[in-house]
Amino acid sequence: DDEGGLKGANLGSLAVPLPLAAKMPEEQKAAEAEAAANGSADDEGDYFYVCKKALDTVREKLKKGEEVTQADVEVLAFPEGLADTELMVPVDMRGAGGDFEDVEQMVEKLGPKGAAEAFVKAADHFEKTKDSLPEDERPKPMTATEWKAVLEEEDDMEGEEEELLEGEEEELGEDGEEEGGEEDKGADEPAAKKAKTTE
């Protein structure tokens, strides 16, 4: 009888995670939507902008089995050579099928065709998931000029962060040992005074 009870308990405990697992996608979607709404820079909402015209071109080339070149990917992903009014559309890089630092690394790992396929997948992923985001928080198309300004702002912020981190490391390297020694002396003195007052 005891064994039967134990088996029942095991089955019961195995059944517990199932409803939790069923809920996970919804919770994950909610977390992703929240991260995107908050403008979070983590992996939850990995948005990038590509040239709409170039995206349509590479999509067509991939369908026909035509060669996608390095130049095609550069027009797609880099706004520098585009007209100021060229339309850029958002894609969600979580659907790209890999984790890449930047476009150069993507092309290096996948080749131009693979990179183009990754961007097409990312565009399709955004189309599927955009309705889960509040409309006012949803990434919207912008011009090449606007996207360039966003990229420049991000570069400036990253540069400032790196400078701050380097500054902090230098301060720790110079002052860490001395400060530690002074703190130890200071910690001993109050302890001695306390001992005297209790007597």
Side-chain angles (χ1 to χ4, degrees):
D1 288 342
D2 289 339
E3 284 179 14
L6 286 170
K7 281 178 187 171
N10 287 339
L11 286 170
S13 63
L14 284 171
V16 171
L18 293 175
L20 291 173
K23 283 181 187 175
M24 273 306 288
E26 287 178 16
E27 289 172 3
Q28 196 173 344
K29 277 181 196 170
E32 287 170 2
E34 188 180 341
N38 293 336
S40 175
D42 60 19
D43 293 334
E44 295 295 348
D46 192 3
Y47 299 111
F48 190 75
Y49 277 76
V50 296
C51 174
K52 185 180 186 302
K53 196 189 288 181
L55 181 66
D56 293 340
T57 300
V58 296
R59 195 189 285 272
E60 199 61 34
K61 281 190 173 187
L62 290 168
K63 272 184 192 171
K64 292 178 180 176
E66 294 176 5
E67 185 189 355
V68 177
T69 65
Q70 175 84 19
D72 290 328
V73 177
E74 285 177 6
V75 174
L76 180 69
F78 298 108
E80 286 79 14
L82 300 175
D84 291 346
T85 54
E86 195 71 56
L87 188 66
M88 310 292 291
V89 291
V91 298
D92 188 343
M93 297 307 287
R94 288 173 297 171
D99 188 18
F100 307 101
E101 288 292 322
D102 50 35
V103 179
E104 286 92 344
Q105 190 190 63
M106 188 190 289
V107 174
E108 194 179 307
K109 283 188 177 181
L110 305 177
K113 184 184 175 185
E117 285 172 343
F119 277 121
V120 169
K121 282 182 198 170
D124 292 341
H125 187 71
F126 175 75
E127 288 301 318
K128 285 177 195 167
T129 57
K130 68 178 183 180
D131 291 334
S132 64
L133 300 171
E135 193 173 341
D136 59 336
E137 300 290 352
R138 198 178 298 162
K140 292 178 177 61
M142 63 173 78
T143 65
T145 301
E146 289 169 327
W147 178 232
K148 278 187 255 189
V150 171
L151 290 176
E152 283 169 14
E153 195 177 312
E154 284 180 3
D155 286 344
D156 290 344
M157 285 172 70
E158 281 175 17
E160 284 171 16
E161 281 175 16
E162 282 173 16
E163 283 173 20
L164 283 170
L165 285 172
E166 283 171 13
E168 283 173 14
E169 281 172 12
E170 282 172 15
E171 281 177 23
L172 285 171
E174 288 170 11
D175 305 337
E177 288 177 19
E178 291 175 16
E179 284 177 5
E182 285 171 13
E183 279 171 17
D184 288 345
K185 287 177 194 170
D188 290 338
E189 281 174 15
K193 283 177 187 171
K194 276 179 194 170
K196 284 176 187 173
T197 38
T198 46
E199 285 169 11

